[in-house]
Amino acid sequence: MAEKKKAPATAKKKNQTLEIIKRLARNKVAMAAGIVFVLLFVMAIFAPLLEPYDYTLMNGKLAFAKPSLEHPFGCDRLGRDLMSRIIRGSRFSLGMGLLGVLCSLAAASVLGSVAGFFGQVADNIVMRLLDVIQAIPGILLTMTISTVLGRGFFNTVLALSIGGIPGNTRMLRAMILAIRNSEYVEAASSINCSKARIIAKHILPNAFAPVLVGAAMGIGGTIGQASMLSFVGLGIQPPDPEWGALISDGRNYIATYPHLIVFPGLMIGIVSLCACLLADGLRDATDPKLKK
Amino acid sequence: MWRYVLKRLGMMVFVVLGVAILVFSLMYFVPGDPAMLILGSGADPADVARLRAQMGIDKPYLVQLGTFLNNLLHLDFGVSYQYNTPVIESVKERLPRTLFLSVMVIIFQTLIGIPLGITAAVNAGKWQDTFCVIVSMIGLAIPGFWLSLMSIKVFSVNLGWFPSFGIDSWKSYVLPIVTMAIGGLSMNTRQTRAAMLEVIRADYVTTAKAKGVSAHDVIYKHALPNALIPVITMIGGSFGGALGGAIIAESVFVMPGLGLYLTNAINALDYAVVRSVVVILAVWFSMIMLVTDLVYAFVDPRIKAQYTGK
């Protein structure tokens, strides 16, 4: 009996997901951005296999080598192949972007639900706390937390996610309040749905799409922030090839060897652009108002 | 209306107090001993203990917090161990430069971003729109500090139009302002376009069109004023981003502002400087947000009505 009941529900859900994917597939720009985005993550996962050279291999003869056929992105001040370093660095940059956004959203969804569900007092406490935290401008907050936590991958991920919590919590709280007051939730509670069922079956699925869009949007911004942290001397530091660290490593040679900072910067730009385009496409695809 | 102003002012006092406590506590739990840092790791323990007592960091947390807040009230920000000068003197000298830089960034991005957004929305679907959407998308994606570095390469090194560092003349400010405004400019364009498109679809705009109001008047007299209301909040909110941009720009262009002071202090673990600068910038940010909220309340009749009606 229970299984029989389950089947149509999953079938319906599948259809909706399919529908969204279909609509996304029609958006060629978003699809292209999405494919590039996925390929970049594949590159990060298989980085050791894809690097043309060892990313730590120094070769004095090749110091500051300009881009050539053997070294498409050139070599850095110690003669290390820049392309290999960028490929390896994608593990740091993309990893920090993805983990930072996920941790931030997880913490924010707890805070946002507390604020959205548990009445005036909880809401007030959370929101006043956010007022205080958000009085410190974004990058300054992340820099301060990063100073406290110290350098390194996981400390930086933590700093980035804490820095993202206030904005994400506000977004989630607003969304939960809007959904909670919507008519279909009222309808569900009028036919005596339990609170747990309303949250699991009605609120969460409807909250999922905007969160997904926010996450896609956030990854680009988080990677940019991570590189900014490395640039001011926090975050990941050379010799680790995080993209921001590569830029700060090459900044003193900008006048003569600009390729050292052009390529890492372009990579950050490409990832952010793809994330942005994908997020826009996802938003349109999941917006029922735009259904044709 | 005055009730609203008072309420916001009261809230600001608490927010600033909260920020001071938060920043102090964060810095309090930083691993490492500042006294040890100043004297070096091989220092005599007796010397370290004496310096700790002199700096007041041997006292309990609450006592230190109380002293810190009390000093803040008297505008005493402590002494930078790195330069051995009172923080307040450096702040007095450097803060105006950072504020100038951020305000110029805001002016620049607003004056260009908003008209671009309006143009895009008015010409929705035409090439102007596509152009603005693509440019603002790219502008959002490119990291500002990278753009600054590239502008140094192109406009300082290759063309020699602007200096690459320092604050000698007005020319020194051109590259930092323009490159740091690109991100906010793109954001302004996107949000103005979205706000404008929403208003253009509103019923009262359709009514105006139906009455036979000219296309020009519909857009600039009926739609624009309402579309600009959310834009005001956006401008105020972007002050935070502009401050962040100024901090990074000062680091790239070696401009002796508060941002460079802060980044140097972070790397030298000069905590008295870090916490003072963060608190000062947060206070400025809160004041700007207060002004934004008040302007918003004055221009939006719905908020005004909430307070004058009662």
Side-chain angles (χ1 to χ4, degrees):
Chain A
M1 188 65 193
E3 275 188 349
K4 222 179 179 181
K5 246 185 171 174
K6 230 178 175 177
T10 46
K12 197 186 158 207
K13 208 175 178 186
K14 216 176 191 176
N15 279 343
Q16 203 182 7
T17 318
L18 261 179
E19 175 81 7
I20 288 172
I21 292 173
K22 261 189 203 159
R23 266 188 274 158
L24 188 63
R26 255 181 278 159
N27 186 342
K28 292 209 180 69
V29 179
M31 270 320 269
I35 290 169
V36 175
F37 199 60
V38 170
L39 283 180
L40 284 166
F41 273 94
V42 171
M43 178 179 93
I45 293 168
F46 296 107
L49 301 174
L50 293 168
E51 292 160 17
Y53 302 88
D54 181 354
Y55 78 105
T56 53
L57 184 74
M58 298 179 207
N59 184 345
K61 279 183 210 148
L62 284 171
F64 298 118
K66 299 248 151 121
S68 61
L69 274 181
E70 292 93 63
H71 299 276
F73 291 176
C75 292
D76 72 357
R77 67 192 163 87
L78 296 172
R80 293 172 293 196
D81 179 53
L82 193 58
M83 191 176 183
S84 306
R85 290 183 70 70
I86 286 180
I87 292 177
R88 182 59 70 122
S90 64
R91 287 191 157 184
F92 289 95
S93 290
L94 297 180
M96 284 196 295
L98 192 65
L99 281 179
V101 167
L102 288 183
C103 295
S104 177
L105 277 175
S109 56
V110 174
L111 280 174
S113 324
V114 168
F117 279 118
F118 295 99
Q120 207 73 53
V121 179
D123 191 31
N124 259 327
I125 293 173
V126 172
M127 293 317 278
R128 294 296 82 77
L129 205 64
L130 289 186
D131 280 344
V132 170
I133 297 177
Q134 283 192 314
I136 306 173
I139 185 69
L140 197 60
L141 177 66
T142 315
M143 275 166 70
T144 314
I145 297 170
S146 187
T147 311
V148 173
L149 292 174
R151 303 184 175 102
F153 185 83
F154 286 103
N155 286 340
T156 310
V157 167
L158 201 57
L160 289 167
S161 38
I162 296 176
I165 286 176
N168 283 330
T169 305
R170 271 183 204 277
M171 173 190 86
L172 284 164
R173 172 183 171 271
M175 200 172 66
I176 287 170
L177 285 181
I179 295 177
R180 213 179 82 158
N181 296 329
S182 64
E183 278 165 5
Y184 59 81
V185 170
E186 202 181 319
S189 66
S190 76
I191 57 167
N192 230 353
C193 276
S194 69
K195 238 187 175 159
R197 192 186 159 83
I198 291 179
I199 292 177
K201 285 275 171 188
H202 299 279
I203 293 183
L204 285 183
N206 281 295
F208 184 69
V211 171
L212 195 66
V213 174
M217 208 68 169
I219 287 181
T222 309
I223 290 175
Q225 282 208 337
S227 62
M228 204 130 69
L229 285 181
S230 306
F231 185 75
V232 295
L234 297 159
I236 309 280
Q237 285 302 304
D240 279 332
E242 194 266 342
W243 294 340
L246 290 179
I247 295 179
S248 80
D249 206 24
R251 70 182 282 195
N252 291 333
Y253 312 104
I254 173 118
T256 34
Y257 306 107
H259 67 271
L260 290 181
I261 69 159
V262 168
F263 292 110
L266 279 182
M267 290 305 289
I268 300 173
I270 289 171
V271 175
S272 306
L273 188 64
C274 288
C276 217
L277 288 169
L278 183 64
D280 270 12
L282 270 175
R283 192 185 49 212
D284 292 348
T286 53
D287 188 350
K289 280 175 223 148
L290 295 175
K291 223 184 239 175
K292 274 172 201 163
Chain B
M1 204 62 216
W2 287 111
R3 263 183 55 202
Y4 179 73
V5 176
L6 278 178
K7 191 182 145 199
R8 277 300 273 108
L9 268 174
M11 263 170 67
M12 198 187 122
V13 172
F14 281 105
V15 164
V16 168
L17 187 67
V19 168
I21 294 174
L22 180 77
V23 173
F24 177 83
S25 309
L26 277 176
M27 289 291 152
Y28 182 82
F29 294 112
V30 172
D33 182 346
M36 198 76 131
L37 215 109
I38 296 171
L39 296 173
S41 50
D44 181 11
D47 286 343
V48 175
R50 206 176 309 127
L51 187 63
R52 282 175 64 88
Q54 194 193 332
M55 289 166 82
I57 51 173
D58 56 342
K59 301 207 175 69
Y61 167 74
L62 277 179
V63 175
Q64 283 191 46
L65 176 63
T67 321
F68 173 67
L69 293 179
N70 188 34
N71 287 348
L72 266 192
L73 264 184
H74 299 97
L75 290 180
D76 173 6
F77 296 112
V79 176
S80 152
Y81 90 80
Q82 205 187 343
Y83 305 106
N84 219 356
T85 51
V87 176
I88 182 75
E89 280 176 19
S90 307
V91 168
K92 268 185 193 158
E93 190 193 334
R94 287 162 180 259
L95 180 65
R97 295 181 193 139
T98 304
L99 287 180
F100 173 74
L101 200 56
S102 1
V103 169
M104 288 309 284
V105 165
I106 290 202
I107 292 177
F108 185 76
Q109 69 192 25
T110 307
L111 285 186
I112 300 200
I114 290 181
L116 273 185
I118 295 172
T119 316
V122 170
N123 297 299
K126 292 186 204 151
W127 68 265
Q128 295 98 324
D129 186 27
T130 320
F131 175 80
C132 288
V133 167
I134 291 176
V135 167
S136 60
M137 195 73 116
I138 294 174
L140 266 187
I142 295 177
F145 69 97
W146 182 75
L147 207 60
S148 302
L149 286 170
M150 296 315 290
S151 74
I152 290 181
K153 168 69 182 159
V154 175
F155 295 105
S156 309
V157 178
N158 290 6
L159 297 170
W161 290 355
F162 302 104
S164 63
F165 65 89
I167 47 165
D168 300 329
S169 70
W170 63 270
K171 277 185 174 176
S172 313
Y173 286 96
V174 173
L175 290 183
I177 290 170
V178 173
T179 51
M180 282 303 158
I182 296 291
L185 190 157
S186 309
M187 191 63 108
N188 279 351
T189 306
R190 281 168 67 93
Q191 287 182 341
T192 310
R193 177 176 175 271
M196 193 73 187
L197 279 179
E198 198 156 296
V199 172
I200 284 178
R201 289 192 200 121
D203 286 342
Y204 76 92
V205 172
T206 316
T207 311
K209 277 186 201 154
K211 282 195 308 184
V213 179
S214 75
H216 178 273
D217 279 8
V218 167
I219 284 165
Y220 292 98
K221 289 195 179 151
H222 292 252
L224 191 59
N226 276 319
L228 284 184
I229 291 180
V231 171
I232 291 173
T233 326
M234 187 182 80
I235 296 172
S238 65
F239 185 72
L243 264 181
I247 291 171
I248 303 296
E250 284 171 14
S251 167
V252 177
F253 292 95
V254 201
M255 304 168 90
L258 218 49
L260 192 62
Y261 193 48
L262 175 71
T263 41
N264 285 342
I266 285 179
N267 285 309
L269 304 176
D270 196 344
Y271 297 129
V273 174
V274 176
R275 64 186 179 207
S276 317
V277 172
V278 173
V279 170
I280 291 165
L281 290 180
V283 169
W284 273 94
F285 185 46
S286 306
M287 285 199 285
I288 300 279
M289 290 312 285
L290 172 71
V291 173
T292 314
D293 274 7
L294 295 184
V295 172
Y296 195 88
F298 273 106
V299 295
D300 191 338
R302 283 167 296 192
I303 294 185
K304 221 184 207 170
Q306 267 181 23
Y307 284 87
T308 47
K310 278 172 201 165

